[in-house]
Amino acid sequence: VFDDAAAVKLATAMRSPTAKLKELRCSGHSISAVGAAALGRAAGASTTLEILDAGDATLGDDGAQALALCFRCPSFKQLHLEAKGIGDAGVVSLAAALSEGLDRLDLARNDVGEPGIVALGKALQARERPLRHLDVSGCLQARRVPVLAANVVSLRCADLAPGAFDCIDFAPGRKLFRLDVSNCGLDAASIKAIAEKASSLVELRYANNEEAGDAGAEAVAASDAPLDVIDASGTGISSRGAIALIGGGAASIFINDNAFGDDGVTAIAECIEAPFLADVDLRKPPPDESNLRTLGISKTGMTDTGAIALAAALARSAVETVEVGGNKIGDAGARALRAAEADRAARPAPGLDVAMLDDRRPQNN
């Protein structure tokens, strides 16, 4: 059992002149502020420690304040404090001690509210260089979360209460490259605000915001951001929104958990099909080449009819991976998709991987 006594013993060993510990992971073990203080002091005195993950849900504010001493270590880069029972006081303490060398801070599934979020946002803005990754997902008391976007490269703030991500406060920095706002109760106007303001994004995940709809998808597709990865799963889009996203030029698009049905899948298939040179009328301008390489289209109401249409398009497309799990695809549709894989394998172009095909829902007889 790794308890306070074990933490104190380990901390003593870490202070040895010969200690060269770089990574300490003792998460899931209950330690009080006493054990955390011992580890925090030892970590702060270290010159080699880079990663710390300690404690469980009983760590709390006092434990977080004690572990903040780790920021004194010049080599320290990552602090993982997911689900540690930390509230505003603990986060305020961490924010006050935040080091310039820190790259990653994980505070997911804690009890931090607006005071802690605001304090952390101010600390981040005061840094000379942006934090590489910040995770506050599942912090159900959080408010004004967009203030965290001003000086981070990657911000994960999924699974928040409605209103926690109010786009009025959203003023992202020029180096915000990745944003995950999945399941935050956002509507189309909010998604549009994100798409318009975050012009540096290469990855946007806004899955399970059911009110985003086609208007949200069209706003994302029209964004000036160089988006390469988009996750619009479970956002209430029709094939119209899906086609808009594909036309936006991203390489990886996930549109799972949207009720397209066979007609919608067929329409989507038509827009990913790339004509071969033999089919092109050279008297006309060449067709636009799609950048799409990965497509997630699981749980979309697809049956054999849609799968056969999709297979025909995939055989003549640049898509390299497609996820189709959770659909009612029968033997005929499965054969068509496997035939598309075989057809692509016989060509000099990149091959095709139809993923999750075995994860099919049984068809009703």
Side-chain angles (χ1 to χ4, degrees):
V1 177
F2 191 86
D3 54 11
D4 283 342
V8 171
K9 187 175 181 178
L10 175 60
T12 300
M14 288 173 62
R15 286 177 171 272
S16 168
T18 59
K20 301 295 181 183
L21 186 66
K22 289 187 175 182
E23 183 173 338
L24 174 56
R25 295 185 184 273
C26 48
S27 183
H29 298 282
S30 179
I31 59 174
S32 71
V34 174
L39 291 177
R41 287 192 296 269
S46 172
T47 58
T48 60
L49 189 67
E50 297 179 0
I51 301 172
L52 177 60
D53 183 356
D56 64 2
T58 65
L59 183 69
D61 290 336
D62 290 341
Q65 183 175 3
L67 289 180
L69 294 170
C70 67
F71 293 141
R72 296 178 180 178
C73 174
S75 61
F76 195 70
K77 298 183 184 301
Q78 298 184 23
L79 180 59
H80 299 267
L81 293 175
E82 179 180 358
K84 302 296 193 266
I86 302 170
D88 286 323
V91 173
V92 169
S93 297
L94 292 170
L98 206 63
S99 64
E100 191 67 33
L102 188 70
D103 283 339
R104 184 184 183 100
L105 179 59
D106 185 352
L107 294 171
R109 298 195 295 133
N110 281 295
D111 300 322
V112 57
E114 182 173 331
I117 293 294
V118 171
L120 183 56
K122 289 180 179 178
L124 290 171
Q125 290 183 47
R127 284 170 53 109
E128 292 184 5
R129 68 185 188 93
L131 188 70
R132 287 187 178 274
H133 182 77
L134 174 62
D135 190 347
V136 293
S137 296
C139 293
L140 300 180
Q141 308 302 318
R143 295 294 183 273
R144 298 192 62 192
V145 173
V147 302
L148 301 175
N151 199 23
V152 296
V153 175
S154 173
L155 175 59
R156 187 168 186 268
C157 48
D159 304 317
L160 301 180
F165 198 96
D166 187 340
C167 289
I168 293 176
D169 290 325
F170 188 51
R174 291 180 297 174
K175 293 187 178 180
L176 179 64
F177 294 155
R178 297 176 181 83
L179 178 64
D180 187 347
V181 290
S182 299
N183 192 31
C184 288
L186 302 179
D187 59 11
S190 297
I191 299 301
K192 181 178 180 181
I194 292 171
E196 291 177 346
K197 293 180 179 181
S199 59
S200 58
L201 284 179
V202 297
E203 180 177 320
L204 174 60
R205 296 182 182 273
Y206 68 103
N208 300 321
N209 288 295
E210 297 178 358
E211 296 183 10
D214 288 340
E218 289 165 351
V220 171
S223 171
D224 292 332
L227 285 166
D228 192 54
V229 178
I230 299 171
D231 188 352
S233 301
T235 54
I237 61 174
S238 69
S239 59
R240 188 187 90 190
I243 291 169
L245 288 173
I246 293 169
S252 298
I253 297 177
F254 301 92
I255 48 177
N256 309 302
D257 293 292
N258 288 298
F260 301 132
D262 286 331
D263 289 344
V265 171
T266 300
I268 293 167
E270 291 174 356
C271 85
I272 67 172
E273 184 175 356
F276 290 110
L277 183 60
D279 301 320
V280 174
D281 186 345
L282 298 179
R283 295 169 296 180
K284 299 179 181 179
D288 293 334
E289 182 178 354
S290 173
N291 293 323
L292 188 64
R293 296 296 180 268
T294 301
L295 177 65
I297 195 165
S298 298
K299 298 181 182 179
T300 52
M302 186 191 329
T303 68
D304 279 345
T305 301
I308 291 170
L310 180 62
L314 289 171
R316 304 163 59 83
S317 80
V319 174
E320 297 173 13
T321 302
V322 60
E323 300 170 355
V324 297
N327 286 300
K328 295 182 179 179
I329 300 173
D331 291 341
R335 283 196 299 270
L337 288 167
R338 291 304 185 205
E341 281 184 318
D343 185 54
R344 288 278 296 277
R347 300 178 183 275
L352 171 67
D353 177 22
V354 180
M356 302 169 65
L357 183 55
D358 293 332
D359 181 19
R360 290 178 281 158
R361 296 178 178 176
Q363 288 190 308
N364 294 326
N365 295 324

